Amino acid sequence: MQGDAYLKCVNPKCGLEYTILSTNVQCENGHVLDVKYKNKPSPNLKETFYQRRNSKGSIFNESGVWRFRELLNFCQIDTEDIEECSKVLVSLDGAEGRQSKPYQMSKAAEFIGIEKNGLWLQPEGYNPSGSFKDNGMATAVTHAKMVGAKKIVCASTGNTSASAGMFAANEGIKCDVYIPAGQIAPGKLSQAYQFGAQIVQVEGNFDDALKQSLEDAKNYDGYTVNSVNPFRIEGQKTIPIRALEYLNWEVPDWIVYPGGALGNTSSCGKALMELYEWGWIKKIPRIAVINSEGASTLSDLYNGEFEGEELRWNKGNPNTELISRYYDHLDKEGLRPKTKATAIQIGRPANILKGLRSLEFTNGVVTTVSDSEMLDGMSVVGLNGFDCEMASGATVVGIKKLMNQGIIKKDDVVVGILTGRQKDAMIPVDYHSDSKNTFAIPPKK
Ligand code: F0G
């Protein structure tokens, strides 16, 4: 396996390659990077993955990320020996991804108007730090350890910092988190403090915090664990992989995510591209990305709502000037992303190019939903006995909207990802206190 994995620039005209031990998050021409593998993992591994569900005492089989280690084998592990794996792989005692799999939720299906058997919702909030981030953090921190990093750094709307803090504390390394002051859920902020992270408050929004954290990481020897890090994307591939495995590799028609920095969109697309190329799947599900109305960069550009051009990956030739003009327009008009779903309050999605590539590969769609719709989506998930946060509610109401538009069909099979659990206790309290809300059960006096 030696020398199997390497880094490659995503821009086909550039295509610069780097060794797997490189810590660059971009090539020297400023393009994002992919982890690439020379070997094609055999579909026979499906049986191995299934058997590992009986973990036989190995935390790396228990882990919903490392159970699939051959599909993200950038550290070239070729052994089942726990001691050997422990020297390389980073895990929260096997808990990352362990509990997240797709569930049928009848009340959500009824609300959406889809066949009960056609809707699968996968709560990633049941990860140890409470969001999907743990999938990618396990792999990013594994790479940080491979390169001997002493400090990990991230900007965050809250969940990334909670996850990074938890992993850093477990590994005994430092962690600096840059957060937009006053704009993250209290439960997320308190997690970063609890895990001993150094908080850096940035006056501005997430986009400003990311810019500053990337600069500081470069200047002060930090290892960036935001989703611009290609190793984050590797771990997050296991989100759709777990869904596919639980559906016995019967490929759904749709996979639906809320859209923020577009790490999820990128990782889902990469997983599907690889599985298709490796002959593991014969059909390609369509990805739907749901933006908040108040933070709708991808939707505006993809749907041609800015300058009338529909932005596309275009086989590796996206119109990046259109993106730059869009950002200039936001700056000139003083337009800042604004939504109560602070997790996805992002104006400059760092992974927009990889996101576009995923959408092109999967014939994807992008739409927006309002804050009050997201609250309804979040609340109907609760009525099925599952927890999720407001941004995750976008998935549910996004599916509903796309069905109403006839884009998702009544008999389609849809997997929706519920990205995180509730960390802002007052959001459900306020929602249910107002009897006008669709699912409100106001308190009795
Ligand atoms: N849902 C939740 C709960 C999130 O925390 C995020 C992103 C997203 C969706 C968007 O996912 O970036 O892959 O498109 N949160 C990041 C953070 C930005 O810092 O915690 P994406």
Side-chain angles (χ1 to χ4, degrees), residues 190-267:
S190 68
Q191 281 182 294
Y193 279 116
Q194 169 74 1
F195 302 133
Q198 175 62 59
I199 287 162
V200 183
Q201 300 213 346
V202 178
E203 287 309 322
N205 61 19
F206 169 80
D207 304 315
D208 304 313
L210 180 61
K211 191 162 171 256
Q212 195 181 323
S213 82
L214 289 171
E215 274 166 24
D216 287 359
K218 211 169 175 180
N219 296 334
Y220 306 112
D221 210 16
Y223 180 97
T224 293
V225 293
N226 279 100
S227 55
V228 284
N229 176 331
F231 297 92
R232 268 279 306 274
I233 302 294
E234 289 309 289
Q236 283 176 214
K237 289 191 314 195
T238 62
I239 298 170
I241 290 172
R242 277 197 300 278
L244 286 168
E245 191 198 44
Y246 276 95
L247 300 180
N248 291 317
W249 299 95
E250 279 175 31
V251 179
D253 298 292
W254 293 90
I255 303 182
V256 186
Y257 288 97
L262 303 177
N264 272 320
T265 314
S266 305
S267 53

Side-chain angles (χ1 to χ4, degrees), residues 132-133 156-160 258-264 343-344 346 389 391 419-420:
F132 73 89
K133 306 285 178 179
S156 183
T157 57
N159 282 324
T160 300
L262 303 177
N264 272 320
I344 52 173
I346 293 173
E389 70 165 81
T419 42

